[in-house]
């Protein structure tokens, strides 16, 4: 038999084996969250994690400094239903980020426990305001992040 044909046969067998490598199952997975929903989940996890420290007045600058970059996509991430995004959305997103900056400033100035709680609750109040107009479903969970004084 022609050596070239044998070689070709080998290449074909190898190629077939390559295809046996399990490919990611695209259709069997639950739909991916939108970019905005994924950002919101991260924001929720971050703020829930910080609540106890805010309550105790022991938040540190390092706790919140990393949040700015992580939460910044709120301005640009793609929502699940763009048609439900209102004109007020960008100003709520800006307000959210500037209240996060105000919390950072309060910690930089080593504000006391009251100042920490006030700045932390102002951030959560901004979550709440935007959610009253967009996506009211998580409102109870959001209110639960507020520190009761
Ligand atoms: C500027 C408006 C705005 C602000 C501020 C905002 N949200 Fe949202 N949030 C939305 C919108 C719109 C959605 C729907 C996102 C989607 O489905 O793509 C959403 C979705 C969510 C969800 C559901 C995510 C999922 O799993 O589908 C949670 C939980 C949430 N937000 C919590 C928060 C928390 C906590 C904050 C503050 C730390 C916050 N949000 C701030 C507008 C906002």
């Amino acid at each position: 038999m022609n050596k070239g044909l044998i070689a070709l046969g080998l290449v074909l067998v190898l190629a077939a084996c390559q295809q046996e490598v399990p490919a990611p199952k695209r259709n069997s997975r639950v739909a991916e969250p939108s970019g905005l929903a994924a950002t919101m989940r991260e924001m929720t996890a971050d703020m829930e994690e910080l609540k106890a420290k805010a309550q105790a007045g022991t938040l540190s600058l390092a706790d919140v400094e990393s949040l700015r970059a992580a939460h910044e996509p709120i301005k640009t991430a793609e929502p699940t239903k763009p048609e439900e995004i209102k004109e007020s959305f960008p100003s709520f997103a800006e307000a959210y980020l500037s209240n996060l900056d105000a919390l950072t400033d309060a910690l930089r100035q080593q504000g006391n426990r009251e100042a920490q709680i006030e700045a932390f609750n102002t951030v959560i109040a901004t979550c709440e305001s935007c959610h009253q107009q967009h996506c009211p479903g998580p409102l109870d969970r959001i209110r639960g992040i507020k520190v009761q004084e």
Side-chain angles (χ1 to χ4, degrees), residues 34 36-37 40-41 43-44 47 74 78-81 85 89 92-93 96 123-124 126-127 130-131 134-135 138 141-142 145:
S34 67
L36 187 60
M40 289 291 159
R41 288 178 196 183
M43 286 161 54
T44 307
M47 299 319 272
I74 188 178
E78 189 64 24
T80 313
K81 295 181 182 156
I85 298 299
F89 186 91
F92 280 121
Y96 175 79
V123 173
I124 307 304
T126 324
C127 310
C130 190
H131 273 263
H134 302 87
C135 177
R141 182 168 179 190
I142 291 171
I145 309 175

Side-chain angles (χ1 to χ4, degrees), residues 69-110:
H71 298 187
E72 182 89 21
I74 188 178
K75 291 204 285 187
T76 50
E78 189 64 24
T80 313
K81 295 181 182 156
E83 68 279 10
E84 288 181 9
I85 298 299
K86 303 194 171 77
E87 264 178 52
S88 59
F89 186 91
S91 36
F92 280 121
E94 286 297 344
Y96 175 79
L97 292 171
S98 66
N99 285 329
L100 204 53
D101 288 342
L103 173 61
T104 310
D105 284 344
L107 296 169
R108 197 170 282 130
Q109 289 157 22
Q110 302 182 315

Side-chain angles (χ1 to χ4, degrees), residues 51-74:
K51 179 184 173 176
K53 281 193 176 181
Q55 191 142 27
T58 56
L59 276 178
S60 71
L61 195 52
D63 287 328
V64 298
E65 260 178 342
S66 60
L67 301 186
R68 187 58 161 79
H71 298 187
E72 182 89 21
I74 188 178

Side-chain angles (χ1 to χ4, degrees), residues 45-59 63 113 116-117 120 144-148:
D46 287 343
M47 299 319 272
E48 283 178 342
E49 200 179 308
L50 294 184
K51 179 184 173 176
K53 281 193 176 181
Q55 191 142 27
T58 56
L59 276 178
D63 287 328
R113 178 171 175 269
Q116 285 199 11
I117 291 178
F120 182 84
I145 309 175
K146 270 196 182 163
V147 173
Q148 306 302 318

